[in-house]
């Protein structure tokens, strides 16, 4: 409601008040002690304000309080022990504050407590262990704190638990196999810690599980070949940035509800199973930075053909692998919803298929640092919404097709380190959305088109190491936002125009290895 100020103490006179919700305003200061007079209060939400000070101990004097939301404020200090005495409490959310100290063990023994969220604070120390016994707890979120030590095996006693978030902290040791006892678990989040050892096999037998995220840890071992047979409800699997090895199980295709699969930055090996194409609802497929290969096929990269069945697919990352295959024409059958196709440094060979034009919704197309050859297809104009186009460090030949000038949203274009030749198309100056343009290390000839100096908001322009000639135009002074301008290694001549004194944001400027008559005019002292 856009309300502000402090809470008036007179609110404590509303003796029949049972429901009090002031979420998402700009109230500040402490909670007035007079609120302790609200003996009938069952629901109190002050989340999303600017309350400060300590969590008041008088909350324990509210004998009917069931739901307490004080998250997203500025509370500090420790959690008061008295809060463990609120025997009616069912939901406790103190997340997104500045609370410090250790977690009170008895807080998990509040008899009716179902949901506890203490995430995004500054809590430290080890997780309590002996307190975990049969209880009605459904959700525990202790993530984004500084908790240390190991995950207590006793968590396996909380058989009613549906969601468990312990990531974004300093937890170490192995994941206890007792987690597999949680046969009602739907979400298991252990991301961004220092957990090590293998993933317990028992976790892969929890049929209710929907989300598993263990990314950014030190986990080792392989995934079981029977991976997908016992998890029919799995929707999201994030295991990236670990030390996992072995093949990707083809049985993953039995997780028919899977929408997100992220195995990036591991050491998975073997071929990418084409059976992943059976995942009808798949939206993200991130397999980059592994040692994966392509299944043998005369039709090129077989996983691309298989993914034509995934009509909801939005992001594909196969980069930094050992695919050793060519891009098939079936690339044009990928989902019209596809936004990102990322395959750099993957040992791709052959040409860029003309069918790439069918991916009209593509925003990122990155196939740099491969062995692609042939010409840039004129059909490139079909990916009309693309914002980043990375074709650098390949063996592409021929001129830049003028069709590339029909990409009005293009902000990043890298064609460097290829074998491109001919002149730089004048129409590139029409790409006014460009922020980075890399044409260096090719065989371009002719003059630098004046139209380049019309891309007023460009930040980086590199056309070095080519065969460009002629004078440097006065128009270079129009690039007032540019921070990097590299024209070195060409055959430019004449005088350096005074207009470059307009380039006040310059951090890196190179004209070396040309034949300018005046190398260092006085106005270069502005840098």
């Amino acid at each position: 409601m856009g309300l502000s100020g402090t809470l008036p103490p007179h609110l404590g006179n509303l003796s029949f008040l049972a429901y009090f919700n002031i979420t998402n305003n700009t109230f500040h200061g402490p909670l007035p002690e007079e609120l302790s007079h609200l003996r009938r209060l069952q629901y109190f939400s002050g989340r999303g304000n600017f309350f400060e000070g300590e969590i008041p101990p008088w909350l324990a004097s509210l004998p009917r309080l069931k739901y307490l939301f004080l998250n997203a404020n500025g509370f500090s200090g420790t959690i008061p022990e008295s809060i463990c005495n609120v025997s009616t409490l069912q939901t406790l959310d103190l997340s997104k504050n500045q609370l410090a100290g250790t977690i009170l063990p008895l807080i998990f023994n509040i008899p009716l407590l179902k949901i506890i969220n203490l995430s995004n604070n500054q809590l430290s120390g080890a997780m309590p262990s002996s307190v975990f016994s049969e209880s009605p707890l459904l959700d525990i979120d202790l993530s984004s704190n500084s908790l240390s030590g190991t995950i207590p095996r006793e968590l396996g006693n909380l058989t009613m638990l549906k969601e468990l978030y312990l990531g974004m902290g300093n937890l170490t040791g192995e994941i206890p196999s007792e987690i597999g006892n949680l046969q009602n678990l739907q979400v298991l989040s252990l991301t961004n810690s220092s957990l090590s050892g293998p993933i317990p096999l028992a976790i892969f037998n929890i049929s209710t599980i929907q989300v598993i995220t263990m990314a950014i840890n030190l986990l080792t071992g392989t995934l079981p070949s029977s991976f997908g047979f016992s998890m029919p409800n799995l929707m999201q699997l994030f295991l990236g940035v670990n030390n996992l090895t072995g093949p990707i199980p083809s049985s993953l295709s039995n997780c028919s509800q899977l929408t997100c699969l992220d195995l990036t930055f591991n050491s998975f090996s073997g071929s990418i199973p084409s059976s992943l194409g059976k995942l009808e609802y798949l939206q993200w497929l991130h397999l980059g930075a592994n040692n994966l290969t392509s299944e043998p096929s005369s039709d090129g990269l077989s996983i691309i053909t298989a993914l034509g069945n995934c009509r909801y697919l939005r992001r594909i990352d196969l980069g930094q692998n050992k695919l050793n295959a060519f891009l098939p024409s079936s690339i044009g059958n990928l989902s019209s919803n596809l936004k990102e196709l990322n395959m750099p440094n993957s040992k791709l060979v052959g040409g860029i298929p003309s069918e790439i034009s069918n991916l009209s919704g593509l925003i990122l197309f990155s196939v740099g640092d491969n062995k692609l050859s042939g010409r840039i297809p004129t059909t490139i104009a079909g990916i009309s919404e693309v914002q980043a186009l990375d074709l650098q460090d390949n063996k592409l030949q021929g001129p830049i097709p003028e069709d590339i000038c029909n990409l009005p949203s293009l902000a990043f274009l890298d064609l460097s380190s290829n074998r491109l030749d001919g002149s730089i198309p004048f129409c590139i100056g029409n790409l006014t959305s460009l922020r980075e343009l890399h044409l260096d290390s090719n065989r371009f000839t002719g003059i630098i088109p004046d139209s380049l100096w019309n891309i007023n908001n460009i930040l980086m322009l590199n056309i070095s190491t080519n065969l460009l000639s002629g004078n440097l135009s006065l128009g270079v002074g129009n690039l007032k936002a540019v921070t990097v301008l590299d024209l070195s290694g060409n055959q430019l001549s004449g005088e350096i125009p005074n207009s470059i004194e307009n380039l006040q944001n310059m951090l890196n400027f190179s004209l070396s290895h040309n034949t300018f008559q005046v190398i260092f005019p006085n106005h270069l002292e502005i840098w």
Side-chain angles (χ1 to χ4, degrees):
M1 299 294 295
L3 302 174
S4 60
T6 58
L7 290 185
H10 308 87
L11 286 169
N13 296 330
L14 301 174
S15 57
F16 286 88
L17 195 65
Y19 182 95
F20 185 32
N21 187 349
I22 51 171
T23 295
N24 293 338
N25 283 286
T26 56
F27 290 112
H28 63 273
L31 296 176
E33 188 172 355
E34 287 78 2
L35 295 182
S36 63
H37 301 159
L38 302 177
R39 312 292 290 179
R40 291 178 171 83
L41 194 64
Q42 299 181 34
Y43 182 103
F44 178 38
S45 177
R47 65 179 172 225
N49 282 281
F50 294 93
F51 291 118
E52 56 193 9
E54 296 189 348
I55 302 290
W58 51 255
L59 287 167
S61 63
L62 301 175
R64 301 185 183 180
L65 189 62
K66 295 180 180 180
Y67 307 97
L68 178 61
F69 299 93
L70 296 179
N71 50 307
N73 278 286
F75 289 110
S76 58
T78 60
I79 300 172
E81 291 187 18
S82 60
I83 208 164
C84 301
N85 298 325
V86 186
S87 60
T88 56
L89 203 58
Q90 297 181 21
T91 298
L92 174 63
D93 192 342
L94 305 180
S95 63
K96 298 181 181 178
N97 280 289
Q98 301 170 31
L99 300 173
T102 58
I103 296 176
L104 301 169
L106 293 178
I107 206 167
F108 298 101
N109 291 147
I110 298 174
L112 300 178
L113 192 63
K114 295 181 179 179
I115 298 173
I116 180 168
N117 190 344
L118 305 179
S119 65
N120 290 275
N121 278 290
Q122 300 167 16
L123 300 170
S124 59
M127 288 183 61
S129 56
S130 59
V131 297
F132 293 114
S133 58
E134 287 288 340
S135 78
L137 274 168
L138 300 177
D139 298 354
I140 297 177
D141 191 346
L142 307 180
S143 61
S144 297
N145 279 289
S146 298
L147 301 178
S148 56
T150 59
I151 299 174
R153 296 184 178 278
E154 290 80 0
L155 277 171
N157 296 329
L158 304 179
T159 55
M160 300 294 290
L161 204 62
K162 292 185 176 181
E163 298 186 13
L164 178 61
Y165 302 86
L166 301 179
M168 307 292 287
N170 301 318
L171 295 175
T172 57
E174 296 189 0
I175 301 170
S177 60
E178 286 80 359
I179 297 294
N181 297 337
L182 306 178
Q183 290 297 309
N184 292 299
L185 199 63
Q186 297 176 7
V187 178
L188 176 59
S189 177
L190 306 177
T191 191
N192 201 356
S193 291
S194 298
L195 299 172
S196 57
I199 302 172
L201 293 178
I203 289 177
F204 302 124
N205 290 322
I206 303 176
S207 62
T208 56
I209 201 85
Q210 297 178 15
V211 177
I212 298 176
T213 171
M214 300 178 182
I216 317 179
N217 278 289
L218 304 170
L219 300 174
T220 56
T222 62
L223 299 181
S225 59
S226 59
F227 188 101
F229 294 129
S230 301
M231 294 185 292
N233 297 299
L234 187 64
M235 298 176 66
Q236 299 181 11
L237 178 63
F238 295 95
L239 300 178
V241 196
N242 279 288
N243 298 313
L244 299 171
T245 57
I248 297 175
S250 59
S251 59
L252 260 173
S253 61
N254 291 285
C255 299
S256 59
Q257 303 301 309
L258 199 64
T259 61
C260 298
L261 176 60
D262 189 342
L263 305 179
T264 54
F265 289 96
N266 279 285
S267 297
F268 287 108
S269 57
S271 58
I272 302 173
S274 294
S275 59
L276 296 180
K278 298 178 182 179
L279 297 172
E280 179 182 356
Y281 301 106
L282 194 63
Q283 297 178 27
W284 290 12
L285 179 63
H286 289 188
L287 305 178
N290 281 285
N291 297 311
L292 297 168
T293 61
S294 175
E295 289 183 340
S297 171
S298 59
D299 296 325
L301 189 54
S302 57
I303 185 62
I304 292 294
T305 301
L307 292 174
N309 299 318
C310 304
R311 307 319 303 163
Y312 300 99
L313 203 57
R314 295 175 60 85
R315 297 167 62 172
I316 300 175
D317 180 5
L318 305 178
Q320 300 181 58
N321 278 293
K322 301 176 181 178
L323 301 178
N324 289 306
F326 63 87
L327 295 174
S329 59
S330 59
I331 196 171
N333 297 331
L334 291 173
S335 169
S336 59
N337 295 306
L338 194 66
K339 298 297 182 185
E340 298 181 13
L341 184 52
N342 193 38
M343 297 185 288
N345 190 17
S346 296
K347 300 189 184 307
L348 295 174
V349 297
I352 300 174
S354 61
E355 289 81 2
I356 191 73
S357 61
N358 293 352
L359 306 181
S360 57
L362 208 60
I363 291 176
L364 167 69
F365 181 47
S366 176
V367 289
D369 197 12
N370 280 293
K371 299 177 181 179
L372 297 173
S373 57
R375 296 187 172 222
I376 300 173
T378 57
T379 57
I380 198 79
I383 53 174
S384 56
E385 296 184 17
V386 71
Q387 297 176 18
L389 181 58
D390 180 9
L391 308 181
Q392 57 91 21
D393 201 6
N394 279 287
K395 300 177 181 179
L396 298 173
Q397 301 174 336
I400 300 175
E402 293 198 358
D403 306 79
I404 214 166
C405 303
N406 296 321
L407 302 175
S409 301
L410 197 61
F412 177 92
L413 175 59
D414 194 343
L415 305 179
S416 63
S417 300
N418 278 286
R419 301 172 182 176
L420 300 171
D421 55 27
S423 58
I424 298 174
F426 188 87
C427 63
I428 281 187
N430 298 332
L431 298 175
T432 55
S433 59
L434 274 177
R435 297 297 179 268
E436 292 191 29
L437 176 60
H438 302 268
L439 303 178
D440 50 292
S441 303
N442 280 287
R443 301 169 181 174
F444 295 121
T445 56
I447 63 172
I448 301 174
D450 284 344
S451 61
L452 286 188
W453 316 128
N454 296 329
I455 311 176
N456 295 332
N457 294 314
I458 200 164
L459 301 175
M460 299 180 67
L461 175 58
N462 190 344
I463 51 178
S464 66
T465 319
N466 280 289
L467 301 171
L468 299 168
S469 59
N471 297 333
L472 186 57
S473 167
L474 283 169
V476 67
N478 296 335
L479 306 183
K480 296 181 180 179
V482 74
T483 59
V484 175
L485 178 59
D486 193 345
L487 309 179
S488 63
N490 282 287
Q491 300 170 8
L492 303 174
S493 58
E495 294 189 359
I496 300 175
N498 291 333
S499 61
I500 65 170
E501 65 186 2
N502 297 330
L503 309 182
Q504 299 290 335
N505 294 310
M506 189 73 71
L507 299 175
N508 191 330
F509 179 43
S510 180
L511 299 175
S512 63
H513 296 88
N514 283 285
T515 56
F516 288 110
Q517 295 173 12
V518 179
I519 303 300
F520 296 112
N522 291 335
H523 53 259
L524 282 182
E525 294 178 2
I526 61 174
W527 294 301

